[in-house]
Amino acid sequence: MADFARFGPRALDVGAGTGAQPAYLEHEHPYVVHCDLDRRLMPRGDTVECEATMLPFRNGAFDVAYLIAVIHHMPPHAATKALAEAKRTARRAVATVWQPSRGREASPGIYEVPWGARAIRIYHQYGIHELLKIAPAKPLSTGTLRRGKELNHYIIL
């Protein structure tokens, strides 16, 4: 998502995890703070253990806040709050969601997806229309990208 525009040097990586995203953001931004619910879920470097709906940063502390593959794990009220917090702490907020194409629909729009040998993750289905409904501000851009067989929707606030 950092490829779309140059948002500035200071980035917040909400729901960082330990995948490829943190290293990519560090390559694109000179200063990145990674945050997640548990320090064991975060990369090395500047990290803060926190909740996406209550970010412990001052207003406008970052140029951009990324929520990459984060809010699809949240129900709509929490996703709205997380987006609002990201927008409060940064000039721009970028969020992506994965559209479940596998797993079991546990209830309308909520999927249980096997993750590894022993885990199941919960995904809320957010398409572009749903992202617009939960957005706390008018979006700068929305769209859909194909990543392999999966669809990823995004919103930039």
Side-chain angles (χ1 to χ4, degrees), residues 12-35:
L12 176 63
D13 180 13
V14 180
T18 57
Q21 190 67 28
Y24 176 74
L25 292 178
E26 288 176 2
H27 181 265
E28 295 297 315
H29 300 278
Y31 180 73
V32 181
V33 173
H34 305 283
C35 62

mmCIF file with all atom_site columns, all heavy atoms in Angstrom, residues 12-35:
data_model
loop_
_atom_site.group_PDB
_atom_site.id
_atom_site.type_symbol
_atom_site.label_atom_id
_atom_site.label_alt_id
_atom_site.label_comp_id
_atom_site.label_asym_id
_atom_site.label_entity_id
_atom_site.label_seq_id
_atom_site.pdbx_PDB_ins_code
_atom_site.Cartn_x
_atom_site.Cartn_y
_atom_site.Cartn_z
_atom_site.occupancy
_atom_site.B_iso_or_equiv
_atom_site.pdbx_formal_charge
_atom_site.auth_seq_id
_atom_site.auth_comp_id
_atom_site.auth_asym_id
_atom_site.auth_atom_id
_atom_site.pdbx_PDB_model_num
ATOM 1   N N   . LEU A 1 12 ? 2.899  4.608   11.164 1.00 0.00 ? 12 LEU A N   1
ATOM 2   C CA  . LEU A 1 12 ? 2.424  3.752   12.243 1.00 0.00 ? 12 LEU A CA  1
ATOM 3   C C   . LEU A 1 12 ? 1.875  2.481   11.614 1.00 0.00 ? 12 LEU A C   1
ATOM 4   O O   . LEU A 1 12 ? 1.039  2.543   10.703 1.00 0.00 ? 12 LEU A O   1
ATOM 5   C CB  . LEU A 1 12 ? 1.335  4.459   13.047 1.00 0.00 ? 12 LEU A CB  1
ATOM 6   C CG  . LEU A 1 12 ? 0.666  3.641   14.159 1.00 0.00 ? 12 LEU A CG  1
ATOM 7   C CD1 . LEU A 1 12 ? 1.682  3.243   15.227 1.00 0.00 ? 12 LEU A CD1 1
ATOM 8   C CD2 . LEU A 1 12 ? -0.477 4.446   14.773 1.00 0.00 ? 12 LEU A CD2 1
ATOM 9   N N   . ASP A 1 13 ? 2.343  1.340   12.082 1.00 0.00 ? 13 ASP A N   1
ATOM 10  C CA  . ASP A 1 13 ? 1.930  0.031   11.577 1.00 0.00 ? 13 ASP A CA  1
ATOM 11  C C   . ASP A 1 13 ? 1.039  -0.615  12.639 1.00 0.00 ? 13 ASP A C   1
ATOM 12  O O   . ASP A 1 13 ? 1.523  -1.237  13.574 1.00 0.00 ? 13 ASP A O   1
ATOM 13  C CB  . ASP A 1 13 ? 3.182  -0.811  11.297 1.00 0.00 ? 13 ASP A CB  1
ATOM 14  C CG  . ASP A 1 13 ? 2.886  -2.196  10.758 1.00 0.00 ? 13 ASP A CG  1
ATOM 15  O OD1 . ASP A 1 13 ? 1.738  -2.461  10.365 1.00 0.00 ? 13 ASP A OD1 1
ATOM 16  O OD2 . ASP A 1 13 ? 3.823  -3.006  10.730 1.00 0.00 ? 13 ASP A OD2 1
ATOM 17  N N   . VAL A 1 14 ? -0.270 -0.446  12.510 1.00 0.00 ? 14 VAL A N   1
ATOM 18  C CA  . VAL A 1 14 ? -1.230 -0.956  13.489 1.00 0.00 ? 14 VAL A CA  1
ATOM 19  C C   . VAL A 1 14 ? -1.509 -2.430  13.187 1.00 0.00 ? 14 VAL A C   1
ATOM 20  O O   . VAL A 1 14 ? -1.835 -2.783  12.057 1.00 0.00 ? 14 VAL A O   1
ATOM 21  C CB  . VAL A 1 14 ? -2.542 -0.144  13.456 1.00 0.00 ? 14 VAL A CB  1
ATOM 22  C CG1 . VAL A 1 14 ? -3.543 -0.685  14.469 1.00 0.00 ? 14 VAL A CG1 1
ATOM 23  C CG2 . VAL A 1 14 ? -2.273 1.339   13.688 1.00 0.00 ? 14 VAL A CG2 1
ATOM 24  N N   . GLY A 1 15 ? -1.399 -3.291  14.195 1.00 0.00 ? 15 GLY A N   1
ATOM 25  C CA  . GLY A 1 15 ? -1.591 -4.725  13.979 1.00 0.00 ? 15 GLY A CA  1
ATOM 26  C C   . GLY A 1 15 ? -0.438 -5.314  13.199 1.00 0.00 ? 15 GLY A C   1
ATOM 27  O O   . GLY A 1 15 ? -0.618 -6.103  12.279 1.00 0.00 ? 15 GLY A O   1
ATOM 28  N N   . ALA A 1 16 ? 0.769  -4.926  13.572 1.00 0.00 ? 16 ALA A N   1
ATOM 29  C CA  . ALA A 1 16 ? 1.973  -5.216  12.799 1.00 0.00 ? 16 ALA A CA  1
ATOM 30  C C   . ALA A 1 16 ? 2.173  -6.691  12.491 1.00 0.00 ? 16 ALA A C   1
ATOM 31  O O   . ALA A 1 16 ? 2.478  -7.057  11.359 1.00 0.00 ? 16 ALA A O   1
ATOM 32  C CB  . ALA A 1 16 ? 3.204  -4.675  13.531 1.00 0.00 ? 16 ALA A CB  1
ATOM 33  N N   . GLY A 1 17 ? 2.056  -7.533  13.487 1.00 0.00 ? 17 GLY A N   1
ATOM 34  C CA  . GLY A 1 17 ? 2.339  -8.941  13.261 1.00 0.00 ? 17 GLY A CA  1
ATOM 35  C C   . GLY A 1 17 ? 3.800  -9.165  12.931 1.00 0.00 ? 17 GLY A C   1
ATOM 36  O O   . GLY A 1 17 ? 4.620  -8.251  12.993 1.00 0.00 ? 17 GLY A O   1
ATOM 37  N N   . THR A 1 18 ? 4.133  -10.381 12.551 1.00 0.00 ? 18 THR A N   1
ATOM 38  C CA  . THR A 1 18 ? 5.528  -10.723 12.279 1.00 0.00 ? 18 THR A CA  1
ATOM 39  C C   . THR A 1 18 ? 5.753  -11.133 10.828 1.00 0.00 ? 18 THR A C   1
ATOM 40  O O   . THR A 1 18 ? 6.782  -11.700 10.495 1.00 0.00 ? 18 THR A O   1
ATOM 41  C CB  . THR A 1 18 ? 5.989  -11.873 13.197 1.00 0.00 ? 18 THR A CB  1
ATOM 42  O OG1 . THR A 1 18 ? 5.107  -12.985 12.996 1.00 0.00 ? 18 THR A OG1 1
ATOM 43  C CG2 . THR A 1 18 ? 5.989  -11.462 14.649 1.00 0.00 ? 18 THR A CG2 1
ATOM 44  N N   . GLY A 1 19 ? 4.811  -10.829 9.950  1.00 0.00 ? 19 GLY A N   1
ATOM 45  C CA  . GLY A 1 19 ? 4.939  -11.199 8.542  1.00 0.00 ? 19 GLY A CA  1
ATOM 46  C C   . GLY A 1 19 ? 5.862  -10.267 7.778  1.00 0.00 ? 19 GLY A C   1
ATOM 47  O O   . GLY A 1 19 ? 6.742  -9.607  8.344  1.00 0.00 ? 19 GLY A O   1
ATOM 48  N N   . ALA A 1 20 ? 5.638  -10.150 6.486  1.00 0.00 ? 20 ALA A N   1
ATOM 49  C CA  . ALA A 1 20 ? 6.495  -9.352  5.608  1.00 0.00 ? 20 ALA A CA  1
ATOM 50  C C   . ALA A 1 20 ? 6.204  -7.855  5.687  1.00 0.00 ? 20 ALA A C   1
ATOM 51  O O   . ALA A 1 20 ? 7.061  -7.041  5.353  1.00 0.00 ? 20 ALA A O   1
ATOM 52  C CB  . ALA A 1 20 ? 6.322  -9.827  4.162  1.00 0.00 ? 20 ALA A CB  1
ATOM 53  N N   . GLN A 1 21 ? 5.017  -7.480  6.112  1.00 0.00 ? 21 GLN A N   1
ATOM 54  C CA  . GLN A 1 21 ? 4.602  -6.068  6.096  1.00 0.00 ? 21 GLN A CA  1
ATOM 55  C C   . GLN A 1 21 ? 5.537  -5.139  6.889  1.00 0.00 ? 21 GLN A C   1
ATOM 56  O O   . GLN A 1 21 ? 5.907  -4.083  6.390  1.00 0.00 ? 21 GLN A O   1
ATOM 57  C CB  . GLN A 1 21 ? 3.154  -5.939  6.598  1.00 0.00 ? 21 GLN A CB  1
ATOM 58  C CG  . GLN A 1 21 ? 2.562  -4.572  6.400  1.00 0.00 ? 21 GLN A CG  1
ATOM 59  C CD  . GLN A 1 21 ? 2.365  -4.223  4.931  1.00 0.00 ? 21 GLN A CD  1
ATOM 60  O OE1 . GLN A 1 21 ? 2.172  -5.087  4.081  1.00 0.00 ? 21 GLN A OE1 1
ATOM 61  N NE2 . GLN A 1 21 ? 2.417  -2.954  4.622  1.00 0.00 ? 21 GLN A NE2 1
ATOM 62  N N   . PRO A 1 22 ? 5.936  -5.479  8.128  1.00 0.00 ? 22 PRO A N   1
ATOM 63  C CA  . PRO A 1 22 ? 6.814  -4.551  8.862  1.00 0.00 ? 22 PRO A CA  1
ATOM 64  C C   . PRO A 1 22 ? 8.105  -4.207  8.120  1.00 0.00 ? 22 PRO A C   1
ATOM 65  O O   . PRO A 1 22 ? 8.490  -3.039  8.046  1.00 0.00 ? 22 PRO A O   1
ATOM 66  C CB  . PRO A 1 22 ? 7.092  -5.302  10.169 1.00 0.00 ? 22 PRO A CB  1
ATOM 67  C CG  . PRO A 1 22 ? 5.878  -6.152  10.356 1.00 0.00 ? 22 PRO A CG  1
ATOM 68  C CD  . PRO A 1 22 ? 5.520  -6.603  8.960  1.00 0.00 ? 22 PRO A CD  1
ATOM 69  N N   . ALA A 1 23 ? 8.766  -5.197  7.556  1.00 0.00 ? 23 ALA A N   1
ATOM 70  C CA  . ALA A 1 23 ? 10.016 -4.932  6.833  1.00 0.00 ? 23 ALA A CA  1
ATOM 71  C C   . ALA A 1 23 ? 9.763  -4.070  5.604  1.00 0.00 ? 23 ALA A C   1
ATOM 72  O O   . ALA A 1 23 ? 10.555 -3.171  5.282  1.00 0.00 ? 23 ALA A O   1
ATOM 73  C CB  . ALA A 1 23 ? 10.684 -6.246  6.436  1.00 0.00 ? 23 ALA A CB  1
ATOM 74  N N   . TYR A 1 24 ? 8.664  -4.316  4.921  1.00 0.00 ? 24 TYR A N   1
ATOM 75  C CA  . TYR A 1 24 ? 8.327  -3.515  3.742  1.00 0.00 ? 24 TYR A CA  1
ATOM 76  C C   . TYR A 1 24 ? 8.096  -2.055  4.139  1.00 0.00 ? 24 TYR A C   1
ATOM 77  O O   . TYR A 1 24 ? 8.602  -1.143  3.483  1.00 0.00 ? 24 TYR A O   1
ATOM 78  C CB  . TYR A 1 24 ? 7.083  -4.092  3.059  1.00 0.00 ? 24 TYR A CB  1
ATOM 79  C CG  . TYR A 1 24 ? 6.625  -3.259  1.900  1.00 0.00 ? 24 TYR A CG  1
ATOM 80  C CD1 . TYR A 1 24 ? 7.320  -3.264  0.697  1.00 0.00 ? 24 TYR A CD1 1
ATOM 81  C CD2 . TYR A 1 24 ? 5.510  -2.433  2.014  1.00 0.00 ? 24 TYR A CD2 1
ATOM 82  C CE1 . TYR A 1 24 ? 6.913  -2.477  -0.367 1.00 0.00 ? 24 TYR A CE1 1
ATOM 83  C CE2 . TYR A 1 24 ? 5.091  -1.648  0.955  1.00 0.00 ? 24 TYR A CE2 1
ATOM 84  C CZ  . TYR A 1 24 ? 5.796  -1.674  -0.227 1.00 0.00 ? 24 TYR A CZ  1
ATOM 85  O OH  . TYR A 1 24 ? 5.396  -0.896  -1.271 1.00 0.00 ? 24 TYR A OH  1
ATOM 86  N N   . LEU A 1 25 ? 7.347  -1.826  5.210  1.00 0.00 ? 25 LEU A N   1
ATOM 87  C CA  . LEU A 1 25 ? 7.085  -0.452  5.641  1.00 0.00 ? 25 LEU A CA  1
ATOM 88  C C   . LEU A 1 25 ? 8.370  0.237   6.087  1.00 0.00 ? 25 LEU A C   1
ATOM 89  O O   . LEU A 1 25 ? 8.563  1.429   5.822  1.00 0.00 ? 25 LEU A O   1
ATOM 90  C CB  . LEU A 1 25 ? 6.044  -0.424  6.754  1.00 0.00 ? 25 LEU A CB  1
ATOM 91  C CG  . LEU A 1 25 ? 4.634  -0.835  6.337  1.00 0.00 ? 25 LEU A CG  1
ATOM 92  C CD1 . LEU A 1 25 ? 3.697  -0.812  7.538  1.00 0.00 ? 25 LEU A CD1 1
ATOM 93  C CD2 . LEU A 1 25 ? 4.103  0.044   5.221  1.00 0.00 ? 25 LEU A CD2 1
ATOM 94  N N   . GLU A 1 26 ? 9.258  -0.499  6.741  1.00 0.00 ? 26 GLU A N   1
ATOM 95  C CA  . GLU A 1 26 ? 10.534 0.090   7.151  1.00 0.00 ? 26 GLU A CA  1
ATOM 96  C C   . GLU A 1 26 ? 11.390 0.452   5.946  1.00 0.00 ? 26 GLU A C   1
ATOM 97  O O   . GLU A 1 26 ? 12.163 1.409   5.997  1.00 0.00 ? 26 GLU A O   1
ATOM 98  C CB  . GLU A 1 26 ? 11.283 -0.870  8.076  1.00 0.00 ? 26 GLU A CB  1
ATOM 99  C CG  . GLU A 1 26 ? 10.646 -0.949  9.441  1.00 0.00 ? 26 GLU A CG  1
ATOM 100 C CD  . GLU A 1 26 ? 11.301 -1.952  10.357 1.00 0.00 ? 26 GLU A CD  1
ATOM 101 O OE1 . GLU A 1 26 ? 12.305 -2.589  9.953  1.00 0.00 ? 26 GLU A OE1 1
ATOM 102 O OE2 . GLU A 1 26 ? 10.806 -2.103  11.478 1.00 0.00 ? 26 GLU A OE2 1
ATOM 103 N N   . HIS A 1 27 ? 11.245 -0.271  4.869  1.00 0.00 ? 27 HIS A N   1
ATOM 104 C CA  . HIS A 1 27 ? 11.958 0.057   3.636  1.00 0.00 ? 27 HIS A CA  1
ATOM 105 C C   . HIS A 1 27 ? 11.404 1.333   3.007  1.00 0.00 ? 27 HIS A C   1
ATOM 106 O O   . HIS A 1 27 ? 12.141 2.126   2.431  1.00 0.00 ? 27 HIS A O   1
ATOM 107 C CB  . HIS A 1 27 ? 11.859 -1.113  2.650  1.00 0.00 ? 27 HIS A CB  1
ATOM 108 C CG  . HIS A 1 27 ? 12.582 -0.862  1.365  1.00 0.00 ? 27 HIS A CG  1
ATOM 109 N ND1 . HIS A 1 27 ? 11.960 -0.371  0.241  1.00 0.00 ? 27 HIS A ND1 1
ATOM 110 C CD2 . HIS A 1 27 ? 13.889 -1.037  1.036  1.00 0.00 ? 27 HIS A CD2 1
ATOM 111 C CE1 . HIS A 1 27 ? 12.843 -0.237  -0.717 1.00 0.00 ? 27 HIS A CE1 1
ATOM 112 N NE2 . HIS A 1 27 ? 14.013 -0.631  -0.281 1.00 0.00 ? 27 HIS A NE2 1
ATOM 113 N N   . GLU A 1 28 ? 10.105 1.549   3.126  1.00 0.00 ? 28 GLU A N   1
ATOM 114 C CA  . GLU A 1 28 ? 9.433  2.690   2.497  1.00 0.00 ? 28 GLU A CA  1
ATOM 115 C C   . GLU A 1 28 ? 9.420  3.956   3.350  1.00 0.00 ? 28 GLU A C   1
ATOM 116 O O   . GLU A 1 28 ? 9.248  5.045   2.817  1.00 0.00 ? 28 GLU A O   1
ATOM 117 C CB  . GLU A 1 28 ? 7.988  2.312   2.144  1.00 0.00 ? 28 GLU A CB  1
ATOM 118 C CG  . GLU A 1 28 ? 7.875  1.229   1.085  1.00 0.00 ? 28 GLU A CG  1
ATOM 119 C CD  . GLU A 1 28 ? 8.457  1.663   -0.258 1.00 0.00 ? 28 GLU A CD  1
ATOM 120 O OE1 . GLU A 1 28 ? 8.186  2.794   -0.699 1.00 0.00 ? 28 GLU A OE1 1
ATOM 121 O OE2 . GLU A 1 28 ? 9.203  0.862   -0.850 1.00 0.00 ? 28 GLU A OE2 1
ATOM 122 N N   . HIS A 1 29 ? 9.549  3.821   4.658  1.00 0.00 ? 29 HIS A N   1
ATOM 123 C CA  . HIS A 1 29 ? 9.478  4.973   5.574  1.00 0.00 ? 29 HIS A CA  1
ATOM 124 C C   . HIS A 1 29 ? 10.696 4.960   6.499  1.00 0.00 ? 29 HIS A C   1
ATOM 125 O O   . HIS A 1 29 ? 11.011 3.928   7.088  1.00 0.00 ? 29 HIS A O   1
ATOM 126 C CB  . HIS A 1 29 ? 8.198  4.911   6.424  1.00 0.00 ? 29 HIS A CB  1
ATOM 127 C CG  . HIS A 1 29 ? 6.939  4.926   5.620  1.00 0.00 ? 29 HIS A CG  1
ATOM 128 N ND1 . HIS A 1 29 ? 6.378  6.083   5.141  1.00 0.00 ? 29 HIS A ND1 1
ATOM 129 C CD2 . HIS A 1 29 ? 6.140  3.914   5.198  1.00 0.00 ? 29 HIS A CD2 1
ATOM 130 C CE1 . HIS A 1 29 ? 5.273  5.788   4.468  1.00 0.00 ? 29 HIS A CE1 1
ATOM 131 N NE2 . HIS A 1 29 ? 5.109  4.484   4.485  1.00 0.00 ? 29 HIS A NE2 1
ATOM 132 N N   . PRO A 1 30 ? 11.374 6.101   6.678  1.00 0.00 ? 30 PRO A N   1
ATOM 133 C CA  . PRO A 1 30 ? 12.551 6.139   7.552  1.00 0.00 ? 30 PRO A CA  1
ATOM 134 C C   . PRO A 1 30 ? 12.233 5.896   9.026  1.00 0.00 ? 30 PRO A C   1
ATOM 135 O O   . PRO A 1 30 ? 13.081 5.456   9.783  1.00 0.00 ? 30 PRO A O   1
ATOM 136 C CB  . PRO A 1 30 ? 13.124 7.540   7.361  1.00 0.00 ? 30 PRO A CB  1
ATOM 137 C CG  . PRO A 1 30 ? 12.345 8.196   6.306  1.00 0.00 ? 30 PRO A CG  1
ATOM 138 C CD  . PRO A 1 30 ? 11.174 7.339   5.956  1.00 0.00 ? 30 PRO A CD  1
ATOM 139 N N   . TYR A 1 31 ? 10.991 6.213   9.449  1.00 0.00 ? 31 TYR A N   1
ATOM 140 C CA  . TYR A 1 31 ? 10.618 6.048   10.862 1.00 0.00 ? 31 TYR A CA  1
ATOM 141 C C   . TYR A 1 31 ? 9.290  5.312   10.928 1.00 0.00 ? 31 TYR A C   1
ATOM 142 O O   . TYR A 1 31 ? 8.272  5.811   10.439 1.00 0.00 ? 31 TYR A O   1
ATOM 143 C CB  . TYR A 1 31 ? 10.515 7.405   11.560 1.00 0.00 ? 31 TYR A CB  1
ATOM 144 C CG  . TYR A 1 31 ? 10.143 7.278   13.003 1.00 0.00 ? 31 TYR A CG  1
ATOM 145 C CD1 . TYR A 1 31 ? 11.067 6.807   13.935 1.00 0.00 ? 31 TYR A CD1 1
ATOM 146 C CD2 . TYR A 1 31 ? 8.866  7.598   13.445 1.00 0.00 ? 31 TYR A CD2 1
ATOM 147 C CE1 . TYR A 1 31 ? 10.730 6.672   15.268 1.00 0.00 ? 31 TYR A CE1 1
ATOM 148 C CE2 . TYR A 1 31 ? 8.524  7.465   14.779 1.00 0.00 ? 31 TYR A CE2 1
ATOM 149 C CZ  . TYR A 1 31 ? 9.458  6.998   15.683 1.00 0.00 ? 31 TYR A CZ  1
ATOM 150 O OH  . TYR A 1 31 ? 9.112  6.855   16.998 1.00 0.00 ? 31 TYR A OH  1
ATOM 151 N N   . VAL A 1 32 ? 9.284  4.107   11.518 1.00 0.00 ? 32 VAL A N   1
ATOM 152 C CA  . VAL A 1 32 ? 8.071  3.302   11.651 1.00 0.00 ? 32 VAL A CA  1
ATOM 153 C C   . VAL A 1 32 ? 7.944  2.829   13.091 1.00 0.00 ? 32 VAL A C   1
ATOM 154 O O   . VAL A 1 32 ? 8.908  2.329   13.678 1.00 0.00 ? 32 VAL A O   1
ATOM 155 C CB  . VAL A 1 32 ? 8.087  2.061   10.719 1.00 0.00 ? 32 VAL A CB  1
ATOM 156 C CG1 . VAL A 1 32 ? 6.803  1.257   10.861 1.00 0.00 ? 32 VAL A CG1 1
ATOM 157 C CG2 . VAL A 1 32 ? 8.298  2.476   9.269  1.00 0.00 ? 32 VAL A CG2 1
ATOM 158 N N   . VAL A 1 33 ? 6.759  2.992   13.646 1.00 0.00 ? 33 VAL A N   1
ATOM 159 C CA  . VAL A 1 33 ? 6.421  2.406   14.937 1.00 0.00 ? 33 VAL A CA  1
ATOM 160 C C   . VAL A 1 33 ? 5.424  1.283   14.663 1.00 0.00 ? 33 VAL A C   1
ATOM 161 O O   . VAL A 1 33 ? 4.418  1.493   13.986 1.00 0.00 ? 33 VAL A O   1
ATOM 162 C CB  . VAL A 1 33 ? 5.804  3.444   15.903 1.00 0.00 ? 33 VAL A CB  1
ATOM 163 C CG1 . VAL A 1 33 ? 5.312  2.758   17.177 1.00 0.00 ? 33 VAL A CG1 1
ATOM 164 C CG2 . VAL A 1 33 ? 6.805  4.529   16.234 1.00 0.00 ? 33 VAL A CG2 1
ATOM 165 N N   . HIS A 1 34 ? 5.741  0.090   15.162 1.00 0.00 ? 34 HIS A N   1
ATOM 166 C CA  . HIS A 1 34 ? 4.868  -1.073  14.998 1.00 0.00 ? 34 HIS A CA  1
ATOM 167 C C   . HIS A 1 34 ? 4.090  -1.271  16.288 1.00 0.00 ? 34 HIS A C   1
ATOM 168 O O   . HIS A 1 34 ? 4.664  -1.173  17.375 1.00 0.00 ? 34 HIS A O   1
ATOM 169 C CB  . HIS A 1 34 ? 5.695  -2.331  14.719 1.00 0.00 ? 34 HIS A CB  1
ATOM 170 C CG  . HIS A 1 34 ? 6.613  -2.204  13.556 1.00 0.00 ? 34 HIS A CG  1
ATOM 171 N ND1 . HIS A 1 34 ? 6.174  -2.282  12.260 1.00 0.00 ? 34 HIS A ND1 1
ATOM 172 C CD2 . HIS A 1 34 ? 7.954  -1.976  13.495 1.00 0.00 ? 34 HIS A CD2 1
ATOM 173 C CE1 . HIS A 1 34 ? 7.200  -2.131  11.440 1.00 0.00 ? 34 HIS A CE1 1
ATOM 174 N NE2 . HIS A 1 34 ? 8.288  -1.933  12.167 1.00 0.00 ? 34 HIS A NE2 1
ATOM 175 N N   . CYS A 1 35 ? 2.795  -1.550  16.172 1.00 0.00 ? 35 CYS A N   1
ATOM 176 C CA  . CYS A 1 35 ? 2.030  -1.849  17.376 1.00 0.00 ? 35 CYS A CA  1
ATOM 177 C C   . CYS A 1 35 ? 1.106  -3.044  17.125 1.00 0.00 ? 35 CYS A C   1
ATOM 178 O O   . CYS A 1 35 ? 0.668  -3.284  16.001 1.00 0.00 ? 35 CYS A O   1
ATOM 179 C CB  . CYS A 1 35 ? 1.259  -0.636  17.876 1.00 0.00 ? 35 CYS A CB  1
ATOM 180 S SG  . CYS A 1 35 ? 0.015  0.033   16.777 1.00 0.00 ? 35 CYS A SG  1
#
